[in-house]
Amino acid sequence: MTAAFIFVVSVVIFLQFFVFYCRSLIAVSSKQPLSPEVQEVTGIQRVPSGEDFNRVMQLLHLCPERPEDRKGIQAIGAYFRLLSFVSSTFAQLVPSMKAWMESERGHCTYFAAIALERRISFSRDMLAQQMDS
Amino acid sequence: MPGLLDYSIWVLCTLFEAGVVICAARRGVFRRYLALNLYMLASILVSIIRLKILLAYGFGSAEYMYCYYYSDLLLTIGLYCALMTLYVHVFEDLGAEQYVRLGAVLLLLGTAGFSFAIVQQFSTKILSHFVVEVSQNLYFVGLVLTYVLWGAILKLRETRTRLIQLVLALGLYFSLFAASYALRNLYPGSRGVWDYVTPLSGCILPLAWGYAFWQVPEEARTVPAHLVAVPR
């Protein structure tokens, strides 16, 4: 009985911490402006949409990987899948929740776009270093 | 006997732990978050000792079992101390350092006393079962304390992004381990995917802490209430 209680409480708290943690990652990236170049590549003009997430992720995987942003991208990918699942199931019953989910999914897309921008500049730096040497 | 996958996860986790210390040192915050870095160094040391004993005596040996559970208890206490230093960071403006330390020691003793009382009732091998029981209970106490700390961060409007991420990552780690231990108690004989979930979840903490040290600048600020707010 005690173990079952601890298990349920731990899972609930884990989900809460996971959501807060992912939102803290997104909050850091949301303060960074997106360059016009990346806006053009990703097609994100003003408000990012959750529908663009997979496309931006595909672009992201085309760029050379930066080890330091891998963990954040994986966490946000899992958060996006969680949001998509809730959005297509429970959120159907609550319209305001669905709108919030969509805005959160858009923030995930913005995070991925910022990561893409970092990877592009990382690739350019690498290329410049190779040219120099 | 551990397989290739188990060894890979083990090595990966140890490398991530080393990565945390390197990231903290490179960013010049090793001393500021000393307890967290010492915990990571202790964890690396424990991994090396465990590997030596595993190779010398084998996986099923009593020596390895004792080494594993006793070192796990020491590491859990270490992580508990690291959590207390995060409390000190959050409450540093209030000058409540002494009260936090006193409360931490009392809670640690209380958890040990509670665990001893349980073991005394149900077990004949008191010391070895006590070590396992304290370790499990400390994970749950750590989880509750992290949750309380998160509440304090919200209440005190703590805005340091790095500190917030360190606390949230610790909450993720504690909650996964507490759930894992609880599930093992519920289904003691079961094996399978959960055997890999527990060691993999051990990688979460060094990964998230490494990210916080390397990627998030000390001066970065976040309003924690925005992380919780859900429009109705």
Side-chain angles (χ1 to χ4, degrees):
Chain A
M1 188 65 191
T2 313
F5 171 75
I6 290 177
F7 178 72
V8 172
V9 169
S10 305
V11 169
V12 170
I13 294 178
F14 171 77
L15 283 174
Q16 278 195 350
F17 275 126
F18 179 67
V19 171
F20 299 153
Y21 179 71
C22 288
R23 295 191 78 191
S24 76
L25 293 178
I26 290 171
V28 174
S29 75
S30 67
K31 285 170 188 156
Q32 295 165 16
L34 207 58
S35 70
E37 186 187 19
V38 175
Q39 279 183 15
E40 196 181 327
V41 171
T42 56
I44 298 170
Q45 292 307 321
R46 286 177 61 233
V47 184
S49 158
E51 304 301 318
D52 298 326
F53 184 79
N54 288 329
R55 194 161 45 79
V56 177
M57 286 299 277
Q58 279 171 358
L59 289 169
L60 201 57
H61 291 310
L62 291 176
C63 296
E65 209 170 78
R66 289 172 75 228
E68 55 266 42
D69 65 8
R70 194 189 309 152
K71 324 138 196 188
I73 291 166
Q74 282 171 350
I76 296 300
Y79 181 50
F80 182 81
R81 284 192 289 279
L82 177 73
L83 286 171
S84 301
F85 171 72
V86 177
S87 183
S88 59
T89 51
F90 307 110
Q92 298 287 347
L93 306 169
V94 191
S96 64
M97 193 178 173
K98 193 163 170 56
W100 181 79
M101 290 280 168
E102 190 43 49
S103 119
E104 274 301 286
R105 278 160 39 97
H107 289 145
C108 291
T109 307
Y110 194 80
F111 178 91
I114 291 289
L116 176 66
E117 183 157 342
R118 282 196 196 129
R119 281 194 182 181
I120 289 172
S121 62
F122 174 68
S123 310
R124 280 196 181 137
D125 289 347
M126 278 211 312
L127 194 66
Q129 277 175 5
Q130 279 179 350
M131 299 272 273
D132 286 345
S133 62
Chain B
M1 196 69 188
L4 185 65
L5 190 61
D6 301 279
Y7 279 118
S8 308
I9 295 171
W10 192 357
V11 170
L12 209 63
C13 198
T14 310
L15 288 176
F16 288 149
E17 285 162 353
V20 172
V21 180
I22 293 166
C23 287
R26 291 281 301 270
R27 293 292 187 220
V29 288
F30 184 86
R31 284 178 66 183
R32 179 161 177 75
Y33 297 101
L34 186 65
L36 276 58
N37 287 300
L38 285 181
Y39 168 76
M40 286 295 159
L41 287 173
S43 194
I44 296 166
L45 185 69
V46 162
S47 289
I48 294 166
I49 292 171
R50 279 180 187 170
L51 184 67
K52 284 198 89 167
I53 292 184
L54 177 70
L55 294 176
Y57 296 98
F59 185 67
S61 65
E63 284 84 355
Y64 181 70
M65 282 294 156
Y66 277 108
C67 168
Y68 182 87
Y69 284 108
Y70 278 80
S71 60
D72 191 50
L73 175 63
L74 290 177
L75 281 180
T76 315
I77 293 173
L79 193 57
Y80 179 82
C81 295
L83 171 62
M84 287 309 138
T85 62
L86 290 176
Y87 263 88
V88 171
H89 277 292
V90 172
F91 289 102
E92 64 187 352
D93 291 341
L94 300 177
E97 206 169 312
Q98 284 180 336
Y99 298 107
V100 169
R101 284 200 181 127
L102 183 68
V105 171
L106 287 177
L107 201 58
L108 190 62
L109 291 175
T111 309
F114 175 75
S115 307
F116 187 75
I118 289 180
V119 169
Q120 208 178 18
Q121 277 183 338
F122 299 109
S123 175
T124 47
K125 288 180 180 175
I126 287 183
L127 190 61
S128 44
H129 282 182
F130 171 72
V131 169
V132 178
E133 189 71 29
V134 175
S135 205
Q136 290 183 18
N137 290 341
L138 265 182
Y139 272 115
F140 190 64
V141 170
L143 171 62
V144 173
L145 285 178
T146 313
Y147 203 68
V148 172
L149 181 59
W150 172 243
I153 284 174
L154 289 174
K155 198 77 183 164
L156 296 172
R157 294 187 173 87
E158 173 63 62
T159 55
R160 282 171 286 180
T161 307
R162 183 180 275 163
L163 189 57
I164 289 171
Q165 288 201 357
L166 292 174
V167 172
L168 289 175
L170 197 55
L172 281 175
Y173 177 81
F174 271 132
S175 52
L176 254 182
F177 263 80
S180 155
Y181 268 124
L183 205 67
R184 239 189 264 174
N185 278 345
L186 281 172
Y187 304 103
S190 70
R191 293 181 63 82
V193 73
W194 209 252
D195 287 347
Y196 298 105
V197 170
T198 311
L200 269 176
S201 54
C203 296
I204 286 181
L205 191 67
L207 274 174
W209 278 3
Y211 183 88
F213 285 137
W214 189 253
Q215 204 74 18
V216 182
E218 186 65 34
E219 61 276 6
R221 294 291 180 265
T222 303
V223 180
H226 289 174
L227 305 178
V228 184
V230 178
R232 292 175 202 283

